[in-house]
Amino acid sequence: MTNRSGILFAVGATVAGLLTGVPSPAAADGAVPAAAQLTWTGCATKSHPTLQCSTVRTPLNHDDPSGRSITLALSRIPHTAKTSQGPLLVNPGGPGGSGLTMAGYVAASLPKETAAQYDVIGFDPRGVGKSSPALNCVPKYFEPLRPDPVPLDLRTEQANRDRAASFAAACGAKYPDLLPYMDTVSTAKDLDVIRQALGSPQINYFGYSYGTYLGAVYAKLFPERVRRLVLDSNVDPDGVWYDDNIGQDYAFDARQKAFAAWIAKHDSTYGLGGDPAKVEAAWYAMSEAVRKEPAGGRVGMSELQDTFLPGGYNNGYWPFLADAFASYVNHKDQDALVRAYKMLGAVDDKGDNGYSVYAAVQCHDAEWTRDWNTWRSESWNVHSKAPFYTWNNTWYNAPCASWPVKPLKPLQVSNDALPPALLFQATEDAATPYEGGVTLHRRLRGSSLVVEQGGGNHGITLSGNKCLDRYLVDYLDKGIVPRGNGSSADADAVCPKSPDPEPPAAGASAKTLRRVTADGGGALHGMLGFRG
């Protein structure tokens, strides 16, 4: 890992750069079937009164288009402007994230005059949510109490290994006909089925997190069918997926240290000390305490890590998590940890589905070592430097060590046939570390990279940063992308980070804490796939 916080120091403040327009692409030659008509029905919500829903059939195996088909669930906020810029497909990531609610969120978060120009299209990818069939390999797989993540003895290690292997075996037994077609390339080809069903020669695409990789793969397969491409919080395409997960281990540990520093800064509120190292030590002492005696009989070490992991995705959760942390340490309040677990760590039926798809795609997309000694050795090595998340992440991905479907070779996403794409990346992002954004920027020739200097949140546009959103809106409105002035080899534009949250007033209610969480970006993070 490199020092992400220092990479862009020389660039300084926001770089306006030079602005270039995206040329109007020539008409794509992808034929649109005459019968490609979707039936949209109202599925309005209180927040999104114009939301519509539909479904489309797509081949299970795109190499056998006349064979078995599956159903994809779609949502739409239709354009209202006199002139439309076509469909804008949005994806929240995962793999395993449901995108149906994303259409309403994006349409409502963009300026009205921008959203009015697009049919904003959400979709549940194959296997996800309301698409059919939907995967759920092992219901309640994350029910407490799970084995401790850090295997301090062989018995704990074997329990975790058996649990992961049983998940892989259950998936293979339950979905032997589906698992060979759960992968990113197949999902990208589904996007082109959606494009055809929409009756459009091209699509605009806006993806977060894993959705950036999905968008890059689609662009590689169908470059002439891409009109505009927005990628926020970018997967490193060179690390799919084993190396990318190791990168996360280091990056989430850094975010946990940032969390401890924030608590120390606000010692007058939380009373955990003004030294970040001591605050961090108190967190690990709490982790050891719940390992020996789970809080409320429900929150052991695994559940505690699940609860605090969202703080690495978005610092809007920090006040709520710090309050639970302080309540447990200072007042022996086990219920505070249980409440925090229920709000941020517990996995429901949607989570069971999301994790099943996550495993099915990541384990199939690329080769994972089957040698457990390699997993063990590398996990202990990384844990010695980054203990917050490493073993939790190891067990999360361990089904891939015995996945029942032969892995594919990742597609090389390098592309010089696209109109200019617009990429966004925070320097301290943990789920998709900064280096991934730089790599993808270099792989997509002519793309522009906008960086949030010092930002640590995952999913940074449409979250309140006006500088970032200005570049997004210019691109969606007029196809304009920033061009750097040569002061940085990486970034075309740099925005200051969004401010860290402030603790709520003393004695704030749980309702206030939840509002602070949502205002800090939790609303977006709640949609960003399964673990992003």
Side-chain angles (χ1 to χ4, degrees):
M1 300 290 290
T2 60
N3 184 347
R4 297 181 303 281
S5 62
I7 288 173
L8 298 170
F9 182 77
V11 180
T14 303
V15 177
L18 303 174
L19 298 178
T20 61
V22 177
S24 299
D29 58 6
V32 179
Q37 296 293 329
L38 294 171
T39 300
W40 294 97
T41 59
C43 55
T45 66
K46 184 177 181 180
S47 301
H48 308 299
T50 63
L51 189 68
Q52 301 172 338
C53 292
S54 189
T55 60
V56 65
R57 304 290 291 181
T58 187
L60 174 63
N61 177 5
H62 284 279
D63 291 333
D64 181 19
S66 62
R68 178 183 174 184
S69 63
I70 57 176
T71 301
L72 305 178
L74 309 178
S75 62
R76 177 178 75 167
I77 300 289
H79 76 277
T80 55
K82 291 182 178 180
T83 301
S84 170
Q85 297 210 47
L88 174 64
L89 274 65
V90 295
N91 180 269
S98 169
L100 294 183
T101 59
M102 198 76 187
Y105 179 86
V106 169
S109 300
L110 287 170
K112 289 183 180 180
E113 58 272 19
T114 301
Q117 302 172 56
Y118 290 93
D119 292 316
V120 184
I121 308 294
F123 60 97
D124 277 354
R126 57 174 53 205
V128 175
K130 293 186 177 181
S131 291
S132 180
L135 274 63
N136 189 346
C137 297
V138 181
K140 302 187 183 303
Y141 181 69
F142 289 96
E143 279 288 285
L145 290 160
R146 307 201 310 273
D148 295 339
V150 182
L152 299 178
D153 53 58
L154 291 177
R155 181 179 179 181
T156 301
E157 179 179 325
Q158 193 62 51
N160 277 298
R161 287 186 64 185
D162 291 346
R163 183 171 174 274
S166 68
F167 184 90
C171 283
K174 195 170 183 180
Y175 303 109
D177 53 339
L178 295 179
L179 293 190
Y181 308 106
M182 293 297 300
D183 57 83
T184 301
V185 169
S186 293
T187 304
K189 291 179 179 179
D190 290 342
L191 297 188
D192 208 55
V193 171
I194 295 173
R195 175 195 65 79
Q196 294 178 62
L198 292 169
S200 178
Q202 293 179 308
I203 63 169
N204 307 282
Y205 180 88
F206 184 3
Y208 289 91
S209 192
Y210 165 79
T212 66
Y213 183 63
L214 176 60
V217 169
Y218 178 83
K220 181 66 175 182
L221 295 173
F222 308 105
E224 74 283 0
R225 296 173 193 171
V226 176
R227 182 173 179 270
R228 288 181 187 156
L229 182 65
V230 181
L231 306 177
D232 183 329
S233 303
N234 296 275
V235 167
D236 187 339
D238 293 350
V240 175
W241 290 108
Y242 185 84
D243 289 345
D244 279 351
N245 276 278
I246 290 177
Q248 284 185 336
D249 297 340
Y250 290 101
F252 273 109
D253 196 79
R255 290 305 291 158
Q256 179 72 354
K257 286 178 168 58
F259 174 49
W262 181 85
I263 292 175
K265 178 182 177 182
H266 298 288
D267 181 47
S268 61
T269 298
Y270 299 111
L272 291 168
D275 180 352
K278 290 183 178 179
V279 173
E280 189 177 18
W283 192 92
Y284 283 106
M286 177 176 65
S287 179
E288 177 63 17
V290 300
R291 184 183 71 83
K292 295 177 179 178
E293 182 184 343
R298 290 180 59 81
V299 182
M301 184 183 281
S302 289
E303 291 73 27
L304 186 76
Q305 291 182 358
D306 289 351
T307 301
F308 281 78
L309 184 64
Y313 282 91
N314 194 289
N315 61 15
Y317 296 119
W318 285 0
F320 181 78
L321 290 171
D323 183 74
F325 179 13
S327 295
Y328 180 85
V329 172
N330 296 330
H331 306 295
K332 311 302 179 185
D333 184 356
Q334 296 191 18
D335 289 341
L337 288 188
V338 173
R339 288 192 298 270
Y341 166 72
K342 287 180 178 178
M343 179 176 174
L344 296 178
V347 174
D348 58 13
D349 291 342
K350 291 181 181 178
D352 286 335
N353 167 240
Y355 179 67
S356 295
V357 175
Y358 170 94
V361 172
Q362 290 220 351
C363 296
H364 187 209
D365 259 359
E367 186 174 3
W368 296 68
T369 179
R370 300 250 168 175
D371 178 13
W372 183 251
N373 289 329
T374 299
W375 286 73
R376 178 194 293 117
S377 175
E378 291 194 352
S379 294
W380 277 119
N381 178 52
V382 178
H383 174 85
S384 69
K385 307 177 188 85
F388 169 64
Y389 176 62
T390 297
W391 273 107
N392 185 306
N393 201 23
T394 294
W395 301 123
Y396 195 80
N397 292 285
C400 296
S402 56
W403 199 247
V405 177
K406 184 178 178 180
L408 303 172
K409 291 185 178 181
L411 193 69
Q412 296 299 312
V413 301
S414 297
N415 204 320
D416 59 4
L418 292 174
L422 184 60
L423 282 59
F424 293 90
Q425 190 72 39
T427 56
E428 311 304 310
D429 185 355
T432 53
Y434 176 75
E435 293 82 356
V438 174
T439 298
L440 190 57
H441 176 36
R442 292 170 179 167
R443 295 284 182 271
L444 304 182
R445 195 175 76 175
S447 65
S448 289
L449 177 62
V450 179
V451 169
E452 184 185 19
Q453 175 67 53
N457 289 343
H458 182 64
I460 56 177
T461 56
L462 303 183
S463 297
N465 188 310
K466 293 181 180 179
C467 175
L468 296 169
D469 288 350
R470 185 174 70 249
Y471 288 111
L472 173 65
V473 170
D474 282 348
Y475 183 66
L476 292 178
D477 279 348
K478 296 169 285 189
I480 294 175
V481 296
R483 293 300 185 196
N485 59 8
S487 60
S488 170
D490 295 335
D492 293 283
V494 179
C495 290
K497 75 169 189 173
S498 297
D500 288 340
E502 292 293 328
S509 66
K511 183 178 180 180
T512 300
L513 289 170
R514 284 194 293 272
R515 191 193 73 243
V516 170
T517 297
D519 290 348
L524 174 62
H525 173 253
M527 287 182 281
L528 292 190
F530 198 70
R531 284 204 179 186

